[in-house]
Amino acid sequence: MFITVIQKKAEEFILSRYQARRGSLRFLKGVSHQLDDPETGVEEILATWADECQSDRTVLVLPPSLLSLREIELPIADRKKGRELLPLELKGEMASDCDDPVFDALPLSGGRTAALWVRPEQLAAEIRLLSDKGLDPEIATFSMFSWRELLPENCEGAVALTDGESIAIYLDRKPLFFRVLPGSGDRPLDTTITAVELSKGIAVTTLFTIGKSVVRSERETVPLPLNKALEAAFAGDAAAASDLAAHFAMARELVSGEPVNLRRGAFSYRKNSDKVRKKLRLTWSLLALLLLLVFLEAGVRYYIAQRDLSSLDSSISTLYKGVFPTRKKPVDEVAELKAEIRKLGVTGTEGVLAILKKLADAKGDDPRELYEIEFDGSQITGKGYDRSAQGVSEFRSKAAALFGSFEVSEIKSRPDGTVGFAFRGTLKGGGK
């Protein structure tokens, strides 16, 4: 992930780019353009970065002059709930300043909240400046609200940080006070710190300066030392780290924290939403295609099943007509065939299959054949042929032992040398 931080000051335009990887930042490049150069305008500067940084997460650093800030008694750590309550808390106080402000909230030490807002028309103009160049900012913020990321590792008590335009005071590394310094007056920085010390009952032990800030103060100022994260990001380039420390702080807070962000409501950042919508559109399209394929498969399966059923019905009808050619159109072919099969299984005292088995036993393994066999419930008749008259006699003897009575007649010689015969037998017990 790449992050671009863009800041427009009164006299210069500053841009820096970072790469975020596994929670850490690495500085890639940064430039500072003086705006007093008539040959170089803001649009030309942005155009040189637009192609390379269009896919970056962009942070817009708003000018401090746009900020309206109030400190109120609102002990709510949940910033989302705080933003919802701020319009009600400040309705009377800010009515003359801005009728439809864009809010954010930042909890402070001691159960208080910093309420901050900007005029919508001013915010729209700042955002448009970048979005028209393809650098639509995801975050619109003010530099001082991210300075906690710059505090030294060992930082106890009350300390103040300033860039000459704003001041932030931290108590035991927790935000305590923020203010935009007025451009006029006698040492406004000293006056602000003294007022905070008296109202909060604290003593500011160290006043850190950020970057190349020019500070008018009778207090001793200390250039902000580089903490480990800042040193690591700039790989030992102390000059660049010092100049771009505020940019680093905002990029780092974007990666690991919840930065103050005025892109809310009508100004919400929608680039990610558009990406999500495109992904959802693709997902829904694939789901619709999947459902269509499922229904098509079900339709094909239904068609095949219907075709098989029709083929089966046709086969049953053909079989029925072959078995019962003289019958009229049946009501239920399958039921009638089953009934006839059951009749074949049990008729009289013995089933047809049992009687045929007796004939097969009487035939034995001899080379004789039986055909045109008929059974009327009590008698069985048929024809056959054997290799000799003696074979016919043997067949009659075996069959007589299996049936109640068994007779062989019409014994005749055939042209192929075999002997044809007819037989009639009755079941033991007389059948039905």
Side-chain angles (χ1 to χ4, degrees), residues 345-423:
V346 179
T347 305
T349 57
E350 291 186 88
V352 173
L353 297 179
I355 295 170
L356 293 176
K357 184 178 184 303
K358 289 181 178 180
L359 287 176
D361 291 341
K363 174 183 176 297
D365 296 329
D366 293 335
R368 63 174 65 96
E369 296 294 336
L370 304 178
Y371 58 95
E372 293 186 10
I373 299 172
E374 295 182 5
F375 179 67
D376 62 2
S378 60
Q379 288 188 346
I380 186 167
T381 60
K383 295 181 179 180
Y385 60 88
D386 206 333
R387 59 185 175 179
S388 63
Q390 183 179 355
V392 174
S393 179
E394 291 176 357
F395 168 69
R396 184 189 61 76
S397 300
K398 291 179 180 179
L402 299 174
F403 290 87
S405 63
F406 196 85
E407 298 177 358
V408 174
S409 60
E410 301 180 15
I411 301 174
K412 298 178 181 179
S413 297
R414 300 175 60 183
D416 60 358
T418 60
V419 178
F421 63 92
F423 64 84

Side-chain angles (χ1 to χ4, degrees), residues 295-332:
F295 282 116
L296 285 175
E297 182 186 13
V300 171
R301 288 178 178 272
Y302 178 78
Y303 169 76
I304 293 174
Q306 287 295 107
R307 185 188 65 183
D308 291 345
L309 287 174
S310 298
S311 176
L312 182 60
D313 289 341
S314 177
S315 299
I316 291 173
S317 179
T318 301
L319 180 62
Y320 182 87
K321 290 179 180 179
V323 176
F324 308 112
T326 59
R327 290 190 183 183
K328 296 180 179 180
K329 185 176 180 180
V331 177
D332 187 342

Side-chain angles (χ1 to χ4, degrees), residues 110-327:
R112 299 178 70 80
T113 296
L116 52 114
W117 67 93
V118 296
R119 295 176 181 270
E121 63 275 10
Q122 293 176 328
L123 178 61
E126 296 292 332
I127 293 174
R128 192 181 308 114
L129 178 66
L130 300 187
S131 59
D132 287 347
K133 296 299 179 182
L135 295 169
D136 190 22
E138 179 180 346
I139 305 293
T141 187
F142 294 93
S143 176
M144 61 177 158
F145 298 117
S146 301
W147 290 348
R148 182 177 180 276
E149 301 291 339
L150 302 176
L151 292 174
E153 284 79 5
N154 299 319
C155 185
E156 304 297 333
V159 298
L161 287 78
T162 183
D163 62 354
E165 295 181 326
S166 308
I167 180 174
I169 298 177
Y170 295 87
L171 179 62
D172 295 330
R173 304 183 67 86
K174 296 180 180 179
L176 179 68
F177 178 83
F178 298 95
R179 187 189 182 192
V180 178
L181 296 174
S184 60
D186 185 19
R187 295 190 300 276
L189 179 61
D190 293 344
T191 303
T192 299
I193 294 177
T194 300
V196 173
E197 289 177 328
L198 293 174
S199 62
K200 306 289 186 181
I202 61 170
V204 174
T205 58
T206 309
L207 175 59
F208 293 113
T209 58
I210 300 173
K212 301 176 181 179
S213 56
V214 178
V215 178
R216 293 177 297 160
S217 175
E218 292 185 350
R219 292 174 178 260
E220 181 182 359
T221 61
V222 178
L224 182 70
L226 307 183
N227 58 29
K228 293 180 180 180
L230 191 56
E231 284 185 336
F234 286 83
D237 188 347
S242 178
D243 293 343
L244 297 172
H247 281 212
F248 164 82
M250 286 177 281
R252 181 177 173 85
E253 195 168 44
L254 176 60
V255 172
S256 59
E258 184 184 0
V260 169
N261 187 12
L262 277 304
R263 295 216 63 174
R264 302 191 179 279
F267 296 96
S268 296
Y269 180 70
R270 305 190 185 280
K271 189 173 182 179
N272 286 341
S273 300
D274 293 339
K275 289 182 179 179
V276 171
R277 276 196 294 270
K278 288 181 180 178
K279 291 181 180 179
L280 287 177
R281 192 179 300 120
L282 176 61
T283 301
W284 283 110
S285 299
L286 293 176
L287 179 59
L289 179 60
L290 176 62
L291 291 176
L292 178 61
L293 291 176
V294 169
F295 282 116
L296 285 175
E297 182 186 13
V300 171
R301 288 178 178 272
Y302 178 78
Y303 169 76
I304 293 174
Q306 287 295 107
R307 185 188 65 183
D308 291 345
L309 287 174
S310 298
S311 176
L312 182 60
D313 289 341
S314 177
S315 299
I316 291 173
S317 179
T318 301
L319 180 62
Y320 182 87
K321 290 179 180 179
V323 176
F324 308 112
T326 59
R327 290 190 183 183

Side-chain angles (χ1 to χ4, degrees), residues 12-23:
E12 62 180 340
F13 199 69
I14 307 172
L15 303 94
S16 59
R17 192 167 188 244
Y18 307 85
Q19 182 180 23
R21 181 179 295 175
R22 299 186 182 91

